[in-house]
Amino acid sequence: MTISCDVAILGGGTGGYVAAIRAAQLGKSVVVIEMDKLGGTCLHRGCIPSKSLLRSAEVYAEIQESESYGIETAGVKLVFPKVQSRKEAVVEQLHQGVQFLMRKNKIQVLNLTQDYYKPFTVKKKREEKPESRYFTVIRRN
C-alpha cells in the first residue's frame, strides 16, 4: 500500500496535530503517523490529566475552607474513583475533539498500533520542479 501526500507528520501530539491542521488549512494533503493516540503524552498522560486532578484538589480544598466564609459543609469527602472518572471524561472529550479536527480537515491518520501499518517507510520524492515535493508512506509486506 502506498499513500502519497504533501506533508507527512510523525507523531500526533500537541505539536504534530496542530502542524497537520495548519498544513491542511494551507491546502496540503496531510498524513499523521501516530504510534498511540492523537494528542500524545500531554493529552493522555501528562498535562491534561494532571490539571484535571489538580482542579479536583483545588475544589476540595476550597470546600474545606468554606466555613471561614460562613458556609457550613458537613460530610464533605473526596471520592477518588469519581475524581478519576472526571479526569478520564475530560481526556476523552478532548481526544474526540482532536479526532474531529482530523476528520474536518481531511487529514489521514495512520495508527501504528494496528499491525496493518507496520512497518512503513516515509520517502521524500521530488517532481520535476524543485519547489514541488511530496511524501510517500509505504507499507512493506
Side-chain angles (χ1 to χ4, degrees):
M1 177 176 110
T2 300
I3 301 168
S4 292
C5 60
D6 297 318
V7 179
I9 296 176
L10 300 177
T14 52
Y17 80 76
V18 172
I21 291 167
R22 185 64 183 138
Q25 289 171 341
L26 294 172
K28 305 295 182 187
S29 63
V30 182
V31 172
V32 173
I33 302 163
E34 174 56 49
M35 284 182 53
D36 194 8
K37 294 180 178 180
L38 287 171
T41 298
C42 180
L43 176 57
H44 296 282
R45 291 174 295 284
C47 311
I48 302 303
S50 296
K51 287 179 181 180
S52 176
L53 293 172
L54 284 170
R55 181 64 185 138
S56 293
E58 288 169 356
V59 170
Y60 182 65
E62 282 192 32
I63 291 171
Q64 286 183 319
E65 296 170 5
S66 67
E67 199 169 309
S68 65
Y69 293 93
I71 302 168
E72 293 183 13
T73 54
V76 175
K77 64 180 182 176
L78 180 71
V79 182
F80 196 68
K82 289 184 179 180
V83 171
Q84 284 289 87
S85 293
R86 179 184 176 276
K87 176 202 70 167
E88 291 166 11
V90 167
V91 168
E92 183 57 29
Q93 181 179 9
L94 293 174
H95 180 238
Q96 287 178 7
V98 174
Q99 291 175 316
F100 167 77
L101 291 171
M102 296 296 106
R103 288 189 304 273
K104 177 184 174 194
N105 289 284
K106 297 178 177 74
I107 298 168
Q108 186 172 2
V109 178
L110 303 181
N111 191 328
L112 295 185
T113 58
Q114 301 169 355
D115 287 338
Y116 184 75
Y117 293 113
K118 290 181 182 176
F120 71 95
T121 302
V122 177
K123 292 185 177 180
K124 182 177 178 182
K125 292 190 174 184
R126 292 192 175 139
E127 294 181 1
E128 295 172 10
K129 299 177 184 177
E131 69 275 1
S132 177
R133 299 182 200 130
Y134 67 95
F135 295 87
T136 303
V137 180
I138 302 169
R139 177 183 168 257
R140 294 185 186 172
N141 293 324

